[in-house]
């Protein structure tokens, strides 16, 4: 008989019990199939896919050595401190060996970092140890740790391949539609661009550092959330890495539906605009494809929008703004942390929003869609973990509807939105605020009540005919696992 529980006056449908092994196998098969399909699609366009790029980094200089070490740090949350030091020493030793071999063979490192191979070797070695030297729950825990680290690398490789595919398969972009609709919000990218220009090299490079180090901030938050895994021997139900991977998986699919390159490319000279103040960012001109060179000095005129052709290099990665979505996810996952972490999450969100607009990479409409996008994903993940109930289903359905309505309005009503900004601007913000309000109301933890200990499991005390029955000895409670972040109240500030 299936039992339904009632929590805080709402019916909750508990997640069906199913073998965890089959669930992990199914997830692995789906992931592998997706990667193989993406590899085949990338090969059709003459570029290496995510599998090829990741296999190459076993020997060749990796594209991002810092990302590999960050992935290894996530994997090490399942290890003891002694094992962590051994793993780190092994990774550094392997990297030093690679450096010596490259120096001895006079091999130059171009297009990558001279370190990082050791971290990948250590993760693969831990996977081999889990399969050959571990059994039962310990094997499963170590494989989960290795899978978490490798998924972070795979997510990066998958995202890079997706961006190349968007540029190859979507020759026309819809920037005029979004730029026209963005006038309802007051052309925030143009305003922010002039502000960043006024701050000079210091302001630009500070925001560029924050913008580029978003994965590092995510790893720091994830390490805090997973700090008790080694002692509790289990992962928390929900953590930031899951949100990051889901955002990166679903976001590029929207890029294929709604290709947009951004105001600095469609209405400016490309990243060449920042060449005079940038310290380390790559810049390339795209002025020959721009509608006009007016960003950020002059707002775009009100005209009837139409698709425009663009080059086969610039990614169509604006709608929605995934940087906004990721920064918002960091903000959400730091609300239950210590004060320093909460302030850092707030700073990273504000700085990322300023950078996405001020650099000309996104329109204001992209940011509105990005916030709705991430809140819907977060609501779905949390509802899946705690059991689907009516408020969770309603929030996911509502967020999906609002997101689809935003995309449709940007495409079908941009001219009306630009002509009546006093009406459509507040409506856009109100739609976003309604999803935020629904998330805050629904995201509060609804922990299941502790199941009572069955009476037959309590050992009965021996009784004699002349003595009164003695009460049964108290049942020792299992040691409490360290408090997870899901059990802490949400703090918005």
């Amino acid at each position: 008989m299936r039992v339904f529980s009632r929590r805080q006056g709402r019916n909750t449908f508990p997640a069906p019990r199913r073998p965890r092994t089959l669930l992990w196998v199914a997830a692995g098969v789906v992931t592998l199939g997706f990667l193989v399909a993406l590899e085949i699609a990338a090969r059709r366009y003459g570029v290496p896919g995510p599998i090829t790029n990741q296999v190459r980094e076993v020997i060749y200089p990796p594209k991002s050595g810092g990302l590999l070490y960050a992935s290894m740090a996530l994997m090490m949350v399942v290890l003891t401190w002694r094992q962590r030091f051994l793993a780190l020493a092994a990774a550094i030793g392997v990297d030093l060996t690679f450096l010596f071999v490259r120096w001895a063979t006079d091999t130059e490192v171009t297009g990558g970092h001279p370190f990082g191979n050791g971290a990948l070797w250590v993760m693969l070695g831990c996977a081999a140890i889990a399969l050959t030297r571990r059994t039962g729950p310990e094997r499963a825990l170590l494989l989960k740790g290795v899978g978490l680290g490798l998924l972070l690398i795979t997510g990066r490789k998958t995202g890079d391949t997706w961006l190349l595919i968007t540029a190859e398969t979507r020759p026309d972009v819809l920037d005029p539609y979004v730029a026209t609709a963005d006038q309802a919000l007051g052309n925030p990218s143009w305003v922010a661009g002039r502000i960043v220009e006024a701050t000079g090299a210091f302001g630009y490079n500070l925001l560029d550092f924050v913008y580029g180090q978003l994965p590092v901030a995510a790893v720091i938050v994830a390490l805090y959330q997973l700090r008790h895994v080694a002692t509790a021997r289990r992962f928390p139900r929900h953590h930031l890495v899951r949100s990051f991977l889901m955002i990166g998986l679903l976001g590029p699919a929207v890029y294929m539906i709604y290709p947009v390159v951004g105001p600095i490319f469609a209405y400016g000279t490309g990243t060449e605009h920042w060449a005079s103040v940038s310290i380390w960012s790559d810049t390339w001109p795209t002025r020959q494809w721009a509608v006009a060179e007016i960003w950020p000095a002059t707002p775009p005129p009100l005209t009837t929008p139409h698709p425009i052709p663009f080059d086969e290099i610039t990614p169509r990665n604006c709608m929605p703004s995934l940087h906004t979505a990721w920064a918002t996810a960091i903000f959400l996952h730091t609300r239950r942390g210590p004060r320093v972490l909460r302030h850092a999450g707030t700073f990273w969100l504000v700085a990322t929003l300023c950078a996405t607009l001020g650099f000309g990479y996104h329109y204001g409409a992209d940011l509105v869609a990005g916030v709705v996008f991430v809140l819907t994903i977060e609501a779905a993940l949390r509802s899946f973990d705690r059991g689907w109930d009516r408020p969770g289903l309603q929030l996911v359905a509502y967020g999906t509807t609002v997101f689809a309505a935003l995309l449709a309005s940007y495409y079908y009503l941009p001219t009306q939105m630009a002509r009546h900004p006093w009406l459509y601007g507040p409506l856009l913000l109100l739609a976003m605020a309604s999803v935020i309000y629904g998330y805050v109301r629904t995201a509060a933890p609804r922990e299941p009540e502790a199941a009572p200990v069955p009476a037959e499991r309590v050992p009965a005390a021996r009784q004699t005919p002349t003595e009164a029955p003695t009460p049964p000895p108290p049942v020792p409670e299992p040691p409490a696992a360290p408090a997870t972040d899901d059990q802490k109240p949400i703090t918005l500030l």
Side-chain angles (χ1 to χ4, degrees), residues 224 227 333-345 485 488 493:
Y224 172 79
R227 66 194 183 279
H333 283 264
T334 55
R335 294 310 90 194
R336 298 186 182 93
R339 179 175 298 180
V340 174
L341 200 62
R342 296 200 305 268
H343 290 341
D485 294 332
K488 299 178 181 179
L493 299 176

Short mmCIF file of all heavy atoms in Angstrom, two decimals, residues 224 227 333-345 485 488 493:
data_model
loop_
_atom_site.label_atom_id
_atom_site.label_comp_id
_atom_site.label_asym_id
_atom_site.label_seq_id
_atom_site.Cartn_x
_atom_site.Cartn_y
_atom_site.Cartn_z
N TYR A 224 32.54 23.97 0.28
CA TYR A 224 31.92 24.24 1.57
C TYR A 224 30.69 23.35 1.77
O TYR A 224 30.49 22.78 2.85
CB TYR A 224 31.52 25.71 1.68
CG TYR A 224 30.70 26.01 2.90
CD1 TYR A 224 31.29 26.16 4.14
CD2 TYR A 224 29.31 26.12 2.82
CE1 TYR A 224 30.54 26.43 5.28
CE2 TYR A 224 28.55 26.38 3.94
CZ TYR A 224 29.17 26.53 5.17
OH TYR A 224 28.41 26.77 6.29
N ARG A 227 31.73 19.65 2.55
CA ARG A 227 32.82 19.51 3.52
C ARG A 227 32.63 18.33 4.46
O ARG A 227 33.60 17.86 5.07
CB ARG A 227 32.95 20.80 4.33
CG ARG A 227 31.75 21.10 5.22
CD ARG A 227 31.77 22.54 5.72
NE ARG A 227 30.65 22.82 6.62
CZ ARG A 227 29.42 23.12 6.22
NH1 ARG A 227 29.14 23.13 4.91
NH2 ARG A 227 28.48 23.37 7.09
N HIS A 333 22.92 29.35 -3.27
CA HIS A 333 23.55 28.28 -2.48
C HIS A 333 24.43 28.82 -1.35
O HIS A 333 24.89 28.02 -0.53
CB HIS A 333 24.36 27.37 -3.39
CG HIS A 333 23.53 26.41 -4.18
ND1 HIS A 333 23.30 25.12 -3.77
CD2 HIS A 333 22.84 26.56 -5.34
CE1 HIS A 333 22.53 24.50 -4.65
NE2 HIS A 333 22.24 25.36 -5.63
N THR A 334 24.67 30.11 -1.32
CA THR A 334 25.43 30.69 -0.20
C THR A 334 24.52 31.29 0.87
O THR A 334 25.03 31.80 1.87
CB THR A 334 26.39 31.78 -0.70
OG1 THR A 334 25.65 32.76 -1.45
CG2 THR A 334 27.46 31.18 -1.59
N ARG A 335 23.21 31.24 0.68
CA ARG A 335 22.31 31.88 1.65
C ARG A 335 22.32 31.16 2.99
O ARG A 335 21.97 31.76 4.01
CB ARG A 335 20.88 31.91 1.11
CG ARG A 335 20.65 32.78 -0.11
CD ARG A 335 21.21 34.17 0.06
NE ARG A 335 22.60 34.26 -0.40
CZ ARG A 335 23.40 35.29 -0.12
NH1 ARG A 335 22.96 36.28 0.62
NH2 ARG A 335 24.63 35.30 -0.57
N ARG A 336 22.67 29.89 3.04
CA ARG A 336 22.69 29.15 4.30
C ARG A 336 24.10 29.01 4.85
O ARG A 336 24.31 28.27 5.81
CB ARG A 336 22.05 27.77 4.12
CG ARG A 336 20.59 27.81 3.70
CD ARG A 336 20.00 26.40 3.67
NE ARG A 336 18.62 26.42 3.24
CZ ARG A 336 18.23 26.25 1.98
NH1 ARG A 336 19.12 26.07 1.04
NH2 ARG A 336 16.95 26.27 1.66
N GLY A 337 25.07 29.68 4.24
CA GLY A 337 26.44 29.60 4.70
C GLY A 337 26.76 30.67 5.72
O GLY A 337 25.90 31.45 6.15
N PRO A 338 28.01 30.73 6.15
CA PRO A 338 28.42 31.79 7.08
C PRO A 338 28.34 33.17 6.43
O PRO A 338 28.19 33.30 5.21
CB PRO A 338 29.86 31.40 7.43
CG PRO A 338 30.31 30.54 6.29
CD PRO A 338 29.10 29.82 5.81
N ARG A 339 28.50 34.18 7.26
CA ARG A 339 28.31 35.55 6.76
C ARG A 339 29.30 35.88 5.65
O ARG A 339 28.94 36.53 4.66
CB ARG A 339 28.47 36.52 7.92
CG ARG A 339 28.30 37.99 7.51
CD ARG A 339 28.35 38.91 8.71
NE ARG A 339 27.25 38.60 9.63
CZ ARG A 339 27.06 39.27 10.77
NH1 ARG A 339 27.90 40.23 11.13
NH2 ARG A 339 26.06 38.95 11.55
N VAL A 340 30.55 35.46 5.80
CA VAL A 340 31.56 35.77 4.78
C VAL A 340 31.16 35.17 3.44
O VAL A 340 31.26 35.82 2.38
CB VAL A 340 32.94 35.25 5.22
CG1 VAL A 340 33.96 35.42 4.10
CG2 VAL A 340 33.41 35.97 6.47
N LEU A 341 30.68 33.93 3.45
CA LEU A 341 30.28 33.28 2.21
C LEU A 341 29.04 33.95 1.62
O LEU A 341 28.93 34.09 0.39
CB LEU A 341 30.00 31.80 2.48
CG LEU A 341 30.04 30.87 1.26
CD1 LEU A 341 31.43 30.87 0.64
CD2 LEU A 341 29.64 29.45 1.65
N ARG A 342 28.11 34.37 2.47
CA ARG A 342 26.92 35.07 1.95
C ARG A 342 27.30 36.38 1.28
O ARG A 342 26.78 36.72 0.20
CB ARG A 342 25.92 35.32 3.08
CG ARG A 342 25.35 34.06 3.70
CD ARG A 342 24.05 34.35 4.44
NE ARG A 342 24.20 35.41 5.43
CZ ARG A 342 24.51 35.22 6.70
NH1 ARG A 342 24.74 33.99 7.14
NH2 ARG A 342 24.61 36.23 7.54
N HIS A 343 28.18 37.15 1.92
CA HIS A 343 28.62 38.41 1.32
C HIS A 343 29.37 38.17 0.02
O HIS A 343 29.21 38.93 -0.95
CB HIS A 343 29.49 39.18 2.31
CG HIS A 343 28.75 39.71 3.49
ND1 HIS A 343 27.38 39.87 3.51
CD2 HIS A 343 29.18 40.14 4.71
CE1 HIS A 343 26.99 40.37 4.67
NE2 HIS A 343 28.07 40.54 5.43
N ALA A 344 30.20 37.12 -0.01
CA ALA A 344 30.92 36.81 -1.24
C ALA A 344 29.97 36.43 -2.37
O ALA A 344 30.15 36.84 -3.52
CB ALA A 344 31.93 35.68 -0.99
N GLY A 345 28.93 35.64 -2.06
CA GLY A 345 27.95 35.28 -3.07
C GLY A 345 27.20 36.48 -3.59
O GLY A 345 26.94 36.59 -4.80
N ASP A 485 23.33 21.80 4.47
CA ASP A 485 22.87 23.15 4.22
C ASP A 485 21.38 23.20 3.95
O ASP A 485 20.75 24.23 4.07
CB ASP A 485 23.63 23.74 3.02
CG ASP A 485 25.09 23.92 3.36
OD1 ASP A 485 25.40 24.10 4.55
OD2 ASP A 485 25.93 23.84 2.45
N LYS A 488 19.22 24.25 7.04
CA LYS A 488 19.40 25.57 7.64
C LYS A 488 18.40 26.54 7.03
O LYS A 488 18.05 26.42 5.86
CB LYS A 488 20.82 26.07 7.42
CG LYS A 488 21.87 25.15 8.05
CD LYS A 488 23.27 25.69 7.76
CE LYS A 488 24.34 24.77 8.37
NZ LYS A 488 25.69 25.27 8.08
N LEU A 493 20.14 37.94 3.11
CA LEU A 493 21.19 38.94 3.16
C LEU A 493 22.39 38.39 3.91
O LEU A 493 22.25 37.54 4.75
CB LEU A 493 20.68 40.23 3.84
CG LEU A 493 19.52 40.90 3.11
CD1 LEU A 493 19.05 42.09 3.91
CD2 LEU A 493 19.91 41.33 1.71
#
